Amino acid sequence: MKKSNLLMIVGSFLLLGLFIFPLWNITLEAPQYPIPLGMDIHITKFADTHEHDIKNINLMNHYVGMKYIPETIPEFKIFPIVIAIMSIFGMLIGFKGTYKWFLGWFVLMSVMGIAGMYDFYLWEYDYGHNLDPKAIMKFTNPDGSIMGFQPPLFGSKDILNFTAHSYPMTGAYFMFVGMMMTFAAFLIGKKEANRLTF
Amino acid sequence: MKIILKSIFLFVITATFLTSCAPSDKKNNKGAISGNAAEKVYVAPGELDSHYAFISGGFSGQLSVYGLPSGRLFRVIPVFSQDAEKGYGYSEETKPMLNTSHGFVPWGDSHHPDISQTNGSVDGRWVFINENNTPRIARISLETFETEEIIEIPNSAGNHSSSFVTENSEYVVAGTRFSVPFPQRDMPISEMKGNFSGALSFLKIDQETGHMNIDFQIKMPGFSYDLSHPGRGKSHGWFFFSTYNTEEANTLMEVNASQNDKDFIAAINWKKIEEYVANGGGKMQPANYAHNTWNDDTHTATSVMKKQVLVVEPKDVPGAIYFLPTAKSPHGCDVDPTGEYIIGNGKLAASMTVHSFSKMIKAIDDKAFDGDAYGIPILKFDAINYGMLNQPGLGPLHTEFDTRGNAYTTFFISSEVVKWNVEDLKVLDRHPVYYSVGHLMIPGGNSRTPDDKYLVAMNKITKDRYLPTGPEVTQSAQLFDISGEKLDLLLDFPTIGEPHYAAGIAAEKIMPKSKKIYRLDENKHAYGVQSEAETRVVRKGKEVHIYMTMIRSHFSPDNIEGVKVGDKVFFHVTNLEQDYDVPHGISMIGANTSELLVMPGRTATFTWEPKEVGVWPFYCTDFCSALHQEMQGYVRVSPRNSKAPISYTLDGDIPGEEEE
């Protein structure tokens, strides 16, 4: 088997890591939480970093009128199907396909990844801005608009007494490394093809 | 003029100098505090102490938890007395803990805490503590820091020589300081001699649950069994009890119980008696005593009256019990970490008695007896005595040890702690304490592995050591550093009640397993609920049961109507929180009981019998959150003849009927 095919197979196989490891993590730090509150986002569920964290995040957030983090969201049905199909498809073209297929797979996966991030951003925006009109405490921005509590998409941000951190987790690294391997598969595959023509 | 001014100036300077040099009493009282004492006890903000000290509350009936070396008080664990702050002895769940054969007793006199052991070292599973007045032993969990069990000791009075544990926590013991008729009966007090007994009780500890059960009671002669300690290492299997009033006096005891030059230390081969009773020995006798246990799943206590106890007569187990003659009215009876030396702190003697365990065994083999007392052989003093520590101080009470062969003894009358070498019988150092010291504690003291770092002296009298607070002033503890050659006084700190005795342990043996919350999904309380949707109010005749929840920052339900004058209202309140350090409290205007303080995941119950119509508020008593002030509710009370049905709501809805 050619090097490029092997890379393509392994690269798309690594996507399956998302079924085991969390994709993303949001952690909230505050002085009275010496052990910060945290939520791990998997492709199938929201999970506590330490047991009961989500319950306690909800309890904190209800003071400013934020909705409870839902038990589940539709994405948790879609994401696993998409990932599973893409992974199998990637491995199949790894066996049979050529470097052009590899590039096609990579582009498709990148588009879907960006779409997934955008979707997550929309959920986060709604979570941070769609506040209960009967909220116990209402905060406004300096310009008079109602303050939102959206955690950052990536990075760290101070929100009232909390510092929110939002960073990728092991699952995301699996996906990132996997996708880089498929891109490398395309580059190497192209080189291999050129060599053959000469 | 100049000369006059100059001489006045000189005079003032000289006078100031002389005054400041003159030894004032105040200064002396501070003792020789070395320069860096403050550094040694300073635990900076946010940092933690290295040791836990469980200091008995004495006549408060409780057990306090301090940090060493800071001397900071963390918690008072209610044990034998009601504690309104925590609802202990007031809530329906905890009331049975204070049940006895004499009914509900709201107070106790706690004395000697002792931590469970494994292989001769304190292990931090449980701490036991005895009650002197209504003889009892309690067991406290060191995961939850709550009293989990209290057992009453029958045929006993003044349970003082208690609650010390053997080196694998096989047994915890109880004794009798005030000998009494056994079993109790109506008889003239003056006929005490020969007719009273002093029960020594051995309670077996279940290694899984910690549950205590009186395995056997030894019916000893009617002396006063004052203190006790287990043998360890080579003497494991034996237990030693000091006695006074071998005169068997029943009046003006201070004189009449102080006539004999020597009293005894009773040496009990409990292994032998354990075997004897395991093979069917002893006689079951009728008794009546309470055994109260706390169920952690239902967090409810139950009290069971036990009706019999196994009694062992010393004469039936020859070779198991001996008396060791010991200088006058020994108080403390302490065994060194090797198990070889048994020390009688003869409180009315000029010298301290040090017996040798190996000599004792040899004397028993050689039958070196000096007569007997009520059939129990008295060993020859010279055959068992290792030596005497002559004139170490006045009124020796208690001794603890380090691992370097040194003993530390408290002297009540001369108010000092004396360090001496056990083998050499030589005094090495002494340090005054302020004042009238009783017990002292070295963490891990009653074990093979004491910690050579700290010593806590517990004083009965403080007089001028603290800001005065009227006629009753605080009792106190004093912390010494014993790591060096000299006793180094570091700190005074006040204590609750009387700091009778204490048990200490390294923090890392307890800290990691200290419970943070109770799991709500493991709450098996009969009236507990899992969510607001399950909250409700149920009438059963004149009883109204409110299944209520609390979570930041509201109760559910918080508006209740249909309660009538003359009803008995049960508030069964579940704390739905699952976050560390978020208890909620609840109290109701006019309730003839205490507040409740409910830990996350737990349910507790108080009762309220409304006497007047009206709308009566209840509220959260523990500052729980930013909206704590808003955490409140109302109960409407209607006249007795009202037809108003029970109704209950939260935010206008019946809880559970409208999902968000």
Side-chain angles (χ1 to χ4, degrees), chain A residues 25-95:
Chain A
N25 172 275
I26 295 177
T27 292
L28 299 171
E29 279 181 356
Q32 66 270 49
Y33 284 92
I35 300 169
L37 297 172
M39 175 171 81
D40 289 337
I41 302 168
H42 295 251
I43 54 167
T44 51
K45 64 181 178 191
F46 296 125
D48 295 317
T49 302
H50 310 97
E51 198 178 13
H52 309 302
D53 273 1
I54 292 177
K55 174 174 170 146
N56 292 320
I57 291 171
N58 287 336
L59 264 174
M60 285 300 99
N61 289 350
H62 96 278
Y63 288 121
V64 291
M66 291 167 79
K67 294 206 165 51
Y68 279 13
I69 294 165
E71 290 274 316
T72 185
I73 52 176
E75 285 83 344
F76 292 158
K77 284 208 176 108
I78 301 163
F79 284 169
I81 295 171
V82 170
I83 297 294
I85 288 175
M86 283 306 287
S87 174
I88 293 164
F89 179 51
M91 286 189 278
L92 278 178
I93 61 176
F95 277 110

Side-chain angles (χ1 to χ4, degrees), chain B residues 506-522:
Chain B
E508 69 260 17
K509 287 195 181 175
I510 291 181
M511 237 179 89
K513 58 182 187 136
S514 178
K515 224 179 175 92
K516 290 191 163 70
I517 58 163
Y518 299 99
R519 293 185 64 102
L520 184 64
D521 55 13
E522 288 172 4

Side-chain angles (χ1 to χ4, degrees), chain B residues 339-593:
Chain B
E340 167 64 11
Y341 301 104
I342 303 140
I343 303 196
N345 301 258
K347 67 177 188 277
L348 306 181
S351 49
M352 289 176 62
T353 310
V354 180
H355 290 313
S356 152
F357 178 73
S358 353
K359 285 181 87 173
M360 179 190 98
I361 294 298
K362 187 167 183 305
I364 291 169
D365 289 344
D366 296 349
K367 298 211 172 353
F369 302 146
D370 203 355
D372 69 274
Y374 295 101
I376 296 169
I378 302 169
L379 294 168
K380 278 201 172 117
F381 181 83
D382 291 334
I384 54 167
N385 188 250
Y386 174 76
M388 303 296 280
L389 181 68
N390 288 315
Q391 312 228 316
L394 293 175
L397 290 188
H398 301 281
T399 301
E400 299 235 331
F401 307 87
D402 63 21
T403 56
R404 300 164 301 194
N406 301 312
Y408 302 80
T409 301
T410 54
F411 292 83
F412 182 82
I413 300 170
S414 51
S415 271
E416 59 188 335
V417 174
V418 171
K419 175 181 178 180
W420 53 285
N421 186 281
V422 183
E423 278 187 12
D424 303 345
L425 294 169
K426 286 224 170 66
V427 170
L428 302 172
D429 191 26
R430 57 178 66 238
H431 201 294
V433 285
Y434 309 95
Y435 305 91
S436 302
V437 61
H439 277 271
L440 75 172
M441 179 275 278
I442 291 172
N446 172 36
S447 81
R448 279 196 252 146
T449 54
D451 196 328
D452 295 350
K453 179 83 180 127
Y454 296 117
L455 180 157
V456 179
M458 285 156 275
N459 308 326
K460 316 290 185 191
I461 292 169
T462 55
K463 304 257 190 204
D464 58 347
R465 298 292 286 187
Y466 296 92
L467 287 177
T469 53
E472 195 191 7
V473 291
T474 185
Q475 300 196 14
S476 96
Q478 292 193 289
L479 181 73
F480 289 87
D481 181 345
I482 54 164
S483 55
E485 279 188 18
K486 295 274 171 195
L487 286 155
D488 191 6
L489 176 60
L490 301 179
L491 181 73
D492 280 22
F493 59 94
T495 54
I496 66 157
E498 177 215 354
H500 191 96
Y501 182 48
I505 184 169
E508 69 260 17
K509 287 195 181 175
I510 291 181
M511 237 179 89
K513 58 182 187 136
S514 178
K515 224 179 175 92
K516 290 191 163 70
I517 58 163
Y518 299 99
R519 293 185 64 102
L520 184 64
D521 55 13
E522 288 172 4
N523 179 329
K524 300 263 171 20
H525 191 285
Y527 293 91
V529 294
Q530 290 291 315
S531 69
E532 283 184 2
E534 294 175 27
T535 58
R536 60 196 184 274
V537 181
V538 178
R539 175 179 283 288
K540 275 186 197 160
K542 276 190 160 185
E543 286 186 0
V544 176
H545 292 268
I546 304 174
Y547 297 69
M548 185 179 271
T549 58
M550 53 219 314
I551 195 161
R552 281 163 288 175
S553 304
H554 62 269
F555 294 97
S556 174
D558 64 2
N559 280 204
I560 295 161
E561 300 197 356
V563 171
K564 294 186 268 187
V565 171
D567 280 343
K568 186 169 187 181
V569 183
F570 291 78
F571 284 79
H572 307 288
V573 195
T574 303
N575 182 346
L576 293 179
E577 303 280 357
Q578 292 287 268
D579 198 358
Y580 190 22
D581 198 10
V582 193
H584 291 287
I586 183 171
S587 69
M588 178 81 218
I589 186 170
N592 300 103
T593 184

